[in-house]
Amino acid sequence: MSTKRTVQFKIYRYDPDRDDKPYMQDISVDLEPSDKKLLDALVRLKVKDDSTSFRRSCREGVCGSDAMNINGKNGLACLTEVDDLKQPIVLRPLPGLPVIRDLIVDMTQFFKQYHSIKPYLVNNDPAPERERLQSPEDREELNGLYECILCACCSTSCPSFWWNPDKFVGPAGLLAAYRFIADTRDQEASERLDNLEDPYRLFRCHTIMNCVDVCPKSLNPTRAIGKIKDMMVRRAV
Amino acid sequence: MKVAKRSYDAVIVGAGGAGLRAALQLSEAGLKTAVLTKVFPTRSHTVAAQGGVAASLGNSTEDNWHWHMYDTVKGSDWLGDQDAIEFMCKKANEVVVELEHYGMPFDRLDNGKIYQRPFGGHSQNYGKTPVSRSCAAADRTGHAMLHALYQRNVRANTQFFVEWMALDLIRDADGDVVGVTAMEMETGEVSIFHAKATIFATGGAGRIYYSSTNAFINTGDGVGMAARAGVPLEDMEFWQFHPTGVAGAGVLITEGVRGEGGILRNSSGDRFMERYAPNLKDLASRDVVSRAMTTEINEGRGCGTDKDHVLLDITHLSPDTIMKRLPGIREISIQFAGIDPIKAPIPVVPTCHYQMGGIPTNYKGQVVAPKDGNASSPVAGFYAAGECACASVHGANRLGTNSLLDLLVFGKSAGETVVEDIKSGNLSLKALPEDAADLALARMARLENQTNGTDVHEVRLAMQRTMQKHAGVFRFSDLLKEGVTKIMEVAEQAKHTQIKDKSKVWNTARMEALELDNLIEVAKATMTSAEARKESRGAHVRDDAPDTAEFPNGRRDDEWLKHTLWYSEGNRLDYKPVNLQPMSEDVDPIALATRTY
Ligand SMILES: Cc1cc2nc3c(=O)[nH]c(=O)nc-3n(C[C@H](O)[C@H](O)[C@H](O)COP(=O)(O)OP(=O)(O)OC[C@H]3O[C@@H](n4cnc5c(N)ncnc54)[C@H](O)[C@@H]3O)c2cc1C
Ligand code: SF4
Ligand code: SF4
Ligand code: FES
């Protein structure tokens, strides 16, 4: 006999098509033994109330779709063990971005900042016949940078990003900027630094470290930001 | 409902590896292109690919494309078309090197070249010894590739319609394709994308099975849309069951783990693959390994309390190798199996993974269908690439790392063909038919007004359980027959799905109901095609076609060396010949032979 597991939720609900304003919905759902992650529980809940809206795709922590605020902390539903969560499980959309519906936020501003750092390799030498060479050590510099899944857990937990989402690039964008600066194949490191030389774009980071604390891929945007700042200082002298 | 119209040179549906590679070709040629995608591009399921992309670069072991071609034909159990296979294997170095130039962070060898690892079914010297052919970025190759392709598209200024769901294909009275209808998810509004060329790159449909390595969004939309529009589907009976899905969770453990030295063991700790594939052992082709595992489990040598899985052991590898080459696998094992593979073996079972069949195309990415006596006549204006398409390079069984390669080669090739067809004036903007949006609007209206209907979740579950039971790793003639009846019943229920959520804004209940329509087309095609194919070949192995002296492995080249074509209308089947002739005259065909590893 398996014992029934019931979880209590308190979920942020808002459908602009129906609701005047957002509200918190109290709802519970019975789980099956195979339901292990918060995402499993949400999918189960959706069978009960098909209007519960959230993004999801890979269910294994690589696509970055299901970032949300879980009991006050940003994370991915698919990598969060449901049994570890204090109940009622309070779910809110990622903070600081406009809500489209329920747990679905408008990520335009987040991606705009990502795009602003020119997130692509620039190398204007004629393309060689074969691969450009890179030593294993140089390649290792990209570890901890290229793995970002653009989930926005970090940027939406960063107070500096909340206050200036249009001006501060935010941890995810800055991590991406450093990913290209650190790539030995890229030729625009100095233009990339110029692009960030501004009181807001980079320097709004006050090393509060929220970003590091929430990254579901255990990446460290603060360290990348620190390295960019060091490079700025070094080239200034 | 009012329907907005937009016109383009080309519309691409899908922004996974195949769609993004095609988009680059069009954007860089300056064509006015719209790329529609259900999810932000980097959330496409290509992101989950782990092990690598094949190319005979020969960076660590001697290699050439002839060997790769041989392995692919043999892997396909001779159902692959040899012209398309030659094309793909020959192009591999070019497209992988391009990807490196785009910024893909491949792992490196000491000499600075791209790191390559061994993979199942890939060999040197026509099957003799394993070869290192899989170009890898740790065990996150798909992620690295998808992001690099997206980034290159940002540079090329590609225009994306993110979170737009294509609903149906638009064909005119001549049968030519003139665009698609699509719904903006944020507003629920339907638009027509009118285009000279339409490219489908919508990925696979692994969600027709209960247990799958595929994402929630892998619902075969492109395949379903094509089927509803009267385009046949090719070889849909062939589904790959990946040997190593995490038992109970379905999440994939890459074959690269075995490439790095991982070993499969049964309950007595035996390395059982030695008995089934004496040469390549754990690195035999996927269908062979999945069947061996299923046999071990069926004969009582499975592991765990329910004896329902086997173990994948890498405890003999150095922690350093695991951390460096397989960091993502370690994360997945800890997250989804609750074990650290440095210390204990991973519980695994064969899990539905990849759709070998799909929308029939030629090597140029043109969709082809029988017309006026020509079995492969191009459908004007319609192109497809990636997992939704069937070129056919994978035939009855795909080799690992050949799919990411397929995305690059045929995504690019479809893009090039469209550029040529438009620049040469071959394709123009044909008039939209009066009823262009009717099919999509009717489906939406039906959902809106359905009462006393069926539940989307229940119907989907019934479909998934039916597929799992009736068309699994081993197939049985009585179960297949019953399966056809059952799946047609489920399809009937799917016509009456009802949703409670009627909101216009980001209505996920509606999207899931629309996706179910597509899944059902795929499920019907699979079951019907499988029931009809009375032989064993590649991933399709049935009890009434056993291994005999006359027909080794149960393969019947006398009757079944042909591609299946399934039509949705009337659940009808047709067949077309396999192309056993390579593209170039100076390349010898790979002669039919019995497949052993
Ligand atoms: C876990 C896993 C690991 C794998 N590892 C490897 C590997 O190591 N090597 C290898 O070669 N292969 C691997 N494969 C296979 C390979 O990854 C896939 O076959 C391939 O990535 C599919 O790419 P695609 O571009 O065809 O589709 P996808 O990447 O699935 O993209 C489909 C796109 O279509 C869009 N779309 C779908 N429907 C609609 C619609 N209705 N409207 C608008 N947009 C739509 C989606 O938004 C998405 O952008 C793996 C597969 C899985 C599941
Ligand atoms: S360390 Fe910087 S980027 Fe990270 S949360 Fe703090 S202010 Fe934001
Ligand atoms: S750095 Fe981490 S938290 Fe931020 S977007 Fe990338 S993966 Fe998400
Ligand atoms: S669903 Fe993809 S990261 Fe959670």
Side-chain angles (χ1 to χ4, degrees), chain B residues 351-379:
Chain B
T351 306
C352 169
H353 183 58
Y354 183 85
Q355 160 194 320
M356 263 80 72
I359 305 169
T361 68
N362 56 23
Y363 73 90
K364 293 161 132 187
Q366 295 172 308
V367 174
V368 294
K371 192 179 176 186
D372 306 331
N374 176 1
S376 297
S377 168
V379 178

Side-chain angles (χ1 to χ4, degrees), chain B residues 13-30:
Chain B
V13 184
L20 289 177
R21 188 62 193 78
L24 263 185
Q25 224 53 36
L26 303 191
S27 297
E28 287 177 354

Side-chain angles (χ1 to χ4, degrees), chain B residues 448-478:
Chain B
E448 194 64 28
N449 303 321
Q450 181 75 49
T451 50
N452 296 320
T454 53
D455 181 82
V456 174
H457 168 75
E458 297 289 334
V459 178
R460 189 173 49 212
L461 199 59
M463 170 196 68
Q464 290 172 334
R465 294 218 188 271
T466 307
M467 295 310 294
Q468 198 79 24
K469 173 162 174 215
H470 294 265
V473 174
F474 283 108
R475 295 167 173 187
F476 301 89
S477 65
D478 51 338

Side-chain angles (χ1 to χ4, degrees), chain B residues 12-24 35-48 142 145-150 153 160 200-204 217-218 385-387 403-404 407-408 411:
Chain B
I12 301 177
V13 184
L20 289 177
R21 188 62 193 78
L24 263 185
V35 183
L36 273 54
T37 171
K38 288 201 284 195
V39 295
F40 185 79
T42 62
R43 316 217 189 284
S44 306
H45 204 50
T46 295
V47 80
M145 172 168 150
L146 189 67
H147 281 253
L149 286 172
Y150 175 67
N153 271 284
F160 289 101
F200 273 12
T202 51
I217 61 164
N218 288 18
E387 193 168 337
S403 172
L404 292 185
L407 311 183
L408 295 173

Side-chain angles (χ1 to χ4, degrees), chain A residues 6-19:
Chain A
T6 304
V7 285
Q8 310 285 337
F9 282 110
K10 210 177 202 19
I11 304 187
Y12 179 99
R13 299 298 306 266
Y14 175 59
D15 174 3
D17 206 22
R18 268 192 329 214
D19 306 322

Side-chain angles (χ1 to χ4, degrees), chain B residues 241-410:
Chain B
F241 287 79
H242 195 291
T244 56
V246 173
V251 175
L252 182 81
I253 300 290
T254 174
E255 190 170 286
V257 169
R258 281 169 285 139
E260 297 287 348
I263 294 171
L264 290 164
R265 300 187 191 280
N266 62 17
S267 53
S268 9
D270 281 350
R271 181 179 196 179
F272 57 86
M273 279 314 299
E274 284 176 336
R275 281 185 273 122
Y276 297 87
N279 281 333
L280 294 187
K281 304 189 180 77
D282 298 273
L283 283 178
S285 210
R286 286 181 181 170
D287 55 335
V288 174
V289 181
S290 282
R291 281 195 292 276
M293 291 168 65
T294 308
T295 304
E296 290 296 305
I297 294 169
N298 288 348
E299 293 179 356
R301 293 187 294 279
C303 307
T305 26
D306 296 329
K307 295 186 162 300
D308 59 356
H309 60 263
V310 301
L311 295 173
L312 174 58
D313 188 2
I314 49 170
T315 52
H316 53 288
L317 301 188
S318 76
D320 197 47
T321 304
I322 297 176
M323 303 293 264
K324 191 154 161 206
R325 300 289 180 213
L326 305 165
I329 288 309
R330 180 161 181 256
E331 257 175 61
I332 286 177
S333 305
I334 292 171
Q335 271 281 349
F336 293 95
I339 64 112
D340 182 345
I342 293 178
K343 298 185 198 123
I346 314 166
V348 290
V349 281
T351 306
C352 169
H353 183 58
Y354 183 85
Q355 160 194 320
M356 263 80 72
I359 305 169
T361 68
N362 56 23
Y363 73 90
K364 293 161 132 187
Q366 295 172 308
V367 174
V368 294
K371 192 179 176 186
D372 306 331
N374 176 1
S376 297
S377 168
V379 178
F382 195 21
Y383 307 77
E387 193 168 337
C388 72
C390 180
S392 132
V393 284
H394 310 303
N397 171 67
R398 169 178 75 92
L399 296 187
T401 69
N402 264 354
S403 172
L404 292 185
L405 177 60
D406 164 352
L407 311 183
L408 295 173
V409 170
F410 295 104

